[in-house]
Amino acid sequence: MAFPVEDKQGFSVVTLKGEVDLNNSPDARKIILNGLKKNRHVMVNLSAVEYIDSSGVASLVEGFQYARSNDLDFGLIDVSDAAMSVLKLARLDQVFHIYQSLEDRLSRGS
């Protein structure tokens, strides 16, 4: 599955959708890391995620770790209820920077 990427206001916005599971989490991982390896700040839009498993979460964690070690901004925007419940269960809602929208992130500054 191809996940769309848009360049918006200095960020690569990756939109994950549907089921982010073992079948397509490698694609999500590749797209997220490609943006970061281009020295771009990345926001991952999870508004259309209906289901995310541990492999999908691992893709997000890997992006977060890469960004942190390379002084890049990484966060999640517009997280669906399904994705948020998984993040809360793993207590990752306390780790990731989570915003309502890209505009919300921009209004908060660095």
Side-chain angles (χ1 to χ4, degrees):
M1 170 181 282
F3 297 112
V5 179
E6 294 180 84
D7 289 329
K8 290 184 176 180
Q9 297 179 291
F11 289 87
S12 286
V13 179
V14 178
T15 300
L16 302 184
K17 54 188 172 182
E19 296 184 2
V20 184
D21 57 19
L22 194 56
N23 291 325
N24 58 25
S25 61
D27 293 337
R29 176 188 174 278
K30 182 179 178 183
I31 291 168
I32 290 167
L33 291 177
N34 280 348
L36 292 166
K37 288 178 180 177
K38 291 178 182 173
N39 212 32
R40 300 275 302 168
H41 302 298
V42 172
M43 291 287 125
V44 182
N45 183 326
L46 299 177
S47 63
V49 171
E50 299 165 3
Y51 171 80
I52 187 167
D53 71 4
S54 60
S55 66
V57 171
S59 298
L60 297 175
V61 170
E62 190 171 350
F64 172 79
Q65 291 173 329
Y66 184 93
R68 184 173 61 183
S69 63
N70 290 279
D71 200 28
L72 295 167
D73 196 357
F74 180 87
L76 310 178
I77 56 175
D78 199 10
V79 180
S80 70
D81 290 341
M84 185 60 83
S85 65
V86 172
L87 294 174
K88 284 184 176 182
L89 185 65
R91 296 183 181 245
L92 290 170
D93 61 319
Q94 304 299 311
V95 174
F96 289 119
H97 299 283
I98 300 175
Y99 307 97
Q100 292 179 351
S101 63
L102 181 58
E103 292 72 24
D104 177 34
R105 161 59 190 88
L106 293 170
S107 71
R108 295 186 194 201
S110 300

